[in-house]
Amino acid sequence: MELVLALAIGVLTGSGVWLLMRPRSYQLIIGLCLLAYGVNLFIFSMGRLYVGAAPIMPKGGFVDPTAYADPLPQALVLTAIVISFATTALFLVVMIAARGTSGTDHVDGKEREQ
Amino acid sequence: MVEQNLLLLLVLTPFISAALAATLPVQSRNAETWLAGLTMALALVILAVLAPAVTGGGKVIRHVEWASTIGLDLTFRIDGFAWLFMVLVAGIGMLVLVYARYYMAPEDPVPRLYAFLLCFAGSMAGLILSGNIIMLVVFWELTSLVSFLLIGYWHHRQDARDGARMALIVTASGGLCLMLAMILLGQIVGSYDLDEVLAAGERITSHRLYPIALILFLLGAFTKSAQFPFHFWLPNAMAAPTPVSSYLHSATMVKAGVFLLLRFHPALGGTDEWFQLVTGAGLITLLIGAFVALFKHDLKGLLAYSTISHLGLITALAGIGTPLAIMAAVFHIVNHAVFKASLFMAAGIIDHETGTRDMRRLSGLARAMPVTATLAIIASGAMAGVPLLNGFLSKEMFFEATYVWNNGSPIDNAAPYVAVLAAALGAAYSLRFIVTVFFGPPARDLPHEPHEPPALMRLPVFVLVAACLCVGIAPHALLGGWLENAGIALLGDDLPEFSLKIWHGVNPALVMSVIAMILGIAIYLVPRRWIDRGEEGLGLLSLVAFGPAFEAMLQFLTQRLPRSLLRIANAPGLQAQMRVMVLIGMAAAFLSLQPLEWNISPPPIGARELVFVLLWLIGGTCAIGAAWQAKYHRFAALILTGGAGLVTCTTFVWLSAPDLAVTQLLVEIATTALLLLGLRWLPKRDEEIAADETPRARFRRLRDLLIAVTCGGGMTAIALAVLLTRPGNSVGDWFLRHSYVEGGGTNVVNVILVDFRAFDTFGEIAVLAIVGLTVYALLRRFRPAPESVSRPRPQREAEEQALEAYLFIPAILMQWLFAPIIALSAYLFFRGHDLPGGGFAAGVTFAIGLLLQYVASNVRWIEARLTILPVRWMGVGLIISASVGTGSWIFGAPFLTTHYRYLDLPLIGKVPASTAMLFDLGVFAAVVGAIVLVLIAIAHQSLRIAPRARNTEPEETL
């Protein structure tokens, strides 16, 4: 499981980074989405990973924290998911507006000079 | 206690009134004047009530604990000196506000002016009454900021913008120096409390950091008080409306610097460095200011340089630092404020009624406006130091201070001569002002026919001039007690004998005065015509006019230097920049991980995990496919990205993170919908453009691929290393233990979000709201790409009838689903505290429900039936969250403290009830608002271009 998860993080990040360096703005936005998945999983994997031990407590009494998944990375990632949605929305709109004003979807606002 | 609270009120009321003033209608000049005037009157009443408490060395201190552990408390204190200064700020403030009512033109937006002026008065009050030296700097910078806004009030004028910018840069940089000085003082003394700093004078002056602290401190004071070589900003600040100049350059802004010098004299003064630097700068400024003022043709320019000169005088007195000099400085602060404010107002009246301030054009105004002329002549007399006026008395004291004290240094020996020469120049420019403007033949060709202003516009000038006269004739009866209180506050109980009298007999000061007067008349009369006709100054003047040099420096620092740096460091285009960024990130990761030991054995893959492997086979393929296809097949890439997202979501479920899974799934839907809407405005990429297959392009792609693979490989390695390390104790354990006991919820992730780390969440929904508003603002001005204006190809090719019904069945389903989705949203919200769900998830669900309605029917149909005001949703959400947070203050708890209990409701049973849920409600509303705002803004684009699309369609069918 650990190996698969690590490889998954690597593949997502790699695909995202590759797209980040591409010239078309749509590639960039897809790249950011993929990178966000990768990074979210990465942050998530920094805590204890259990199968079937969600951080939902019983009411009252003594609890053994090590029996549950780590809630802190989860809380961080939850925030990250929402924020990455917001940045995607903002970037999309900037991209659309740039496309309208510059007439091209190259990230520099003009086609590369050959 | 009443007095302490009054002190707080003294600082707060101007700010509250400023907020009120800003909200009044643009034309409500009278209401503004009443509001502002009453605020100042209230301040004066409070000061009158406080007067007995500060008499004879008393002081009132109001202490509010804030961040005591780092020595930062909100302390306000008033003593005799601060009290006298506050009387000036409030008294002259009131007169200026009345004057501004008549000065401002009908087209000027007065609420802005009054709001800024009140803000300025408040900042000034804060600065004077601060009992904590760091707080003092904060108010100090606040006066710089507000003065920037005031000087740039007529922001359509280039000179106003430039003057405002220059004033801000000079005074705010000085403020930063002052901040450093205060921190140093705090470190030396061990406390930021003003009283403790003032009491630790010997410890400070003998400390090895004293010279640095002193220089930084003086940089702050000198920039503010326009002392040489920082005097150049003040004349440029004359682009401000005259009431502003009258307020800033008589009683407040520039006086802050000398206030500081006098206030900190017990702590920093009394040394040789202090004397040389402060007296030296003061005397140079005194002389230069007076000299340049003589050659100015602009009325306000003359007054500006005269102000610089008089500030130099006060600074020099502060530098001399004998008890008598300090008393003289305090006295002159008062006198200068009174006569300079009245002179600025008189100059404003002349400008207002004649349309010019140029002394070469003005002449003989005494006939057209006799009352104003009389008032201005008396005030100029005070400026020149004519007997029976207040300026005379403090000038005498200044002469005495320069003459009496003697430490034998060159500066001290020169002081009496400089003082006499500057006084002579002062008499000369005052005389020039009077003679040129009010006497001589009546002026012709003035923009307006000169006449007397409205009586109420003259009233403030009258009050101030009356003060000049009264103080000049009966100084001891009027000001003796106040000055004594101020003196005790500054010097302690060993106050020197000082006598405020007009006639002290024939003494050296009187002789100096007489010499200065005669010399002054000679200086004016002899080269009179030459001055009147000549250029604004001599060749020498350009040496001290540092304005151009400052502009050149600014130009260099903000334009040329960054540009040349950019030429060196710039990467051509975003791609190269991204590449550099990624490489730097990789290098940083590599360097920081290198020292660690890596001994990781590959873990076995059990049969149970086969499903997980298969899952990520799909996920990985999707990710790589999306990367592959994003250039030409955008839709495919979008779907593939969605696939990767779903696999991520499943992973969250698998690894015990139900909250994440729910949120990820919902956000996934919203993102996909968003990108689908966006795709409409991104025309298909033309596949006929041949892909760049030159060797260079191939090399570029190969290089990027290498970087991407390395990056991914590195992330895999790090993740694996962490995953295979047995986790020790995590911070999360604390949350797990305390979530139920202290947060009253069993879903720890939700409790962290809405309770333990609620402030982060609050920031996050604020970000979301900002993004929503930005998107909305961007799309309001949006012009789509020309080729995407017409309807998309499939719609054009389809038959009209098929088009109408093409979403008929889904549309009905989506309409039916509306209610269940809202119910689901409510369900997710209410279970959030104990089970997976919560405000975020509920908000996104609700937004999706609304979005579906937009997809199902056309926009007009839906908006006729459903009113959605996303901006209000966001606003209400933020307000709810913030007020839940601040509500805990009422119970004396810190921001965002929650209270919880279980409520027994009939039928439903026991439900958890917590203020955190209310906070979550705010989160919910803000999320709904932001997402809906973004989606609707994009969806509305097709409505906005519809008419144009119809126009273009026929052409295409041809």
Side-chain angles (χ1 to χ4, degrees), chain B residues 115 286 350 355 658 749 753 804 941:
Chain B
L286 167 67
I350 293 167
V749 176
L753 284 176
E804 258 173 32
Q941 298 308 318

Side-chain angles (χ1 to χ4, degrees), chain B residues 658-659 662-663 666 747 750 820-846 917 920 924:
Chain B
D659 273 290
V662 171
T663 315
L666 293 165
N747 180 5
N750 185 267
I821 288 177
I822 288 175
L824 174 69
S825 158
Y827 173 68
L828 281 175
F829 176 77
F830 282 112
R831 74 202 291 261
H833 216 48
D834 282 348
L835 291 165
F840 275 125
V844 183
T845 313
F846 196 91
M917 282 189 81
D920 219 12
F924 166 77

Side-chain angles (χ1 to χ4, degrees), chain B residues 354-407:
Chain B
T354 64
T356 178
R357 298 193 312 239
D358 192 332
M359 291 209 288
R360 284 166 298 189
R361 298 178 68 187
L362 294 166
S363 175
L365 286 184
R367 290 190 193 85
M369 34 174 74
V371 183
T372 310
T374 315
L375 294 175
I377 289 168
I378 298 173
S380 312
M383 178 161 76
V386 173
L388 292 184
L389 295 168
N390 60 356
F392 170 72
L393 299 167
S394 42
K395 194 187 61 179
E396 291 277 280
M397 288 169 84
F398 171 56
F399 284 155
E400 208 177 324
T402 55
Y403 181 81
V404 167
W405 198 66
N406 205 328
N407 69 354

Side-chain angles (χ1 to χ4, degrees), chain A, chain B residues 572-575 578-579 582 603-605 608-609 612-613 616 619-620 623-624 626-628 630-631 634-635 637-638 641-642 644-645 648 651-652 654-660 663-664 667-668 670-671 674-675 678-679 681-683 685 692 700-701 704-705 707-708 711-713 715-716 718-720 722-724 726-728 730-733 735-737 739-740 746-749 752-753 764 767-768 771 774-775 778-779 782-787 834-836 840 902 931 934 938:
Chain A
M1 182 185 77
E2 285 86 356
L3 186 64
V4 179
L5 188 60
L7 279 173
I9 292 171
V11 168
L12 286 170
T13 317
S15 316
V17 168
W18 158 261
L19 283 176
L20 277 193
M21 293 180 290
R22 297 297 89 216
R24 302 294 150 192
S25 46
Y26 188 76
Q27 289 175 307
L28 223 64
I29 208 169
I30 294 287
L32 279 177
C33 282
L34 291 176
L35 196 59
Y37 295 145
V39 171
N40 284 349
L41 278 176
F42 182 71
I43 299 174
F44 176 64
S45 69
M46 292 297 109
R48 277 188 303 264
L49 293 185
Y50 287 141
V51 177
I56 312 282
M57 301 281 104
K59 290 186 181 176
F62 174 77
V63 284
D64 175 21
T66 49
Y68 297 92
D70 196 343
L72 194 64
Q74 297 195 14
L76 294 179
V77 172
L78 191 70
T79 311
I81 292 174
V82 179
I83 290 289
S84 63
F85 169 75
T87 46
T88 307
L90 187 61
F91 185 61
L92 177 78
V93 171
V94 171
M95 179 178 89
I96 295 174
R99 176 75 182 79
T101 46
S102 70
T104 162
D105 64 346
H106 195 281
V107 286
D108 292 335
K110 56 176 192 281
E111 291 294 329
R112 184 192 294 274
E113 287 155 26
Q114 293 296 330
Chain B
L574 187 72
Q575 279 174 275
M578 294 301 266
R579 200 175 298 127
V582 169
I605 293 180
R608 197 167 67 95
E609 279 149 14
F612 197 62
V613 174
W616 271 107
I624 294 171
W628 187 263
K631 190 166 188 182
R634 291 175 168 154
F635 184 69
L638 178 58
T641 312
T648 307
T651 309
F652 288 141
W654 191 287
L655 297 172
S656 330
D659 273 290
L660 291 190
T663 315
Q664 175 81 56
V667 166
E668 202 56 53
T671 312
L674 187 78
L675 290 176
L679 273 182
W681 305 106
L682 287 172
R685 252 203 90 66
D692 194 357
R700 252 194 330 259
R701 279 198 287 270
D704 289 354
L705 188 65
I707 294 175
C711 207
M715 283 292 271
T716 306
I718 299 172
L720 198 60
V722 175
L723 283 169
L724 292 179
R726 274 297 96 209
S730 154
V731 193
D733 296 349
F735 291 114
L736 285 166
R737 279 203 203 91
S739 146
Y740 185 73
T746 56
N747 180 5
V748 187
V749 176
I752 292 178
L753 284 176
E764 186 194 348
V767 168
L768 216 54
V771 166
T774 315
V775 165
L778 275 174
L779 286 183
F782 169 63
R783 295 286 169 271
E787 63 266 37
D834 282 348
L835 291 165
F840 275 125
Y902 278 78
I931 296 181
V934 171
I938 297 181

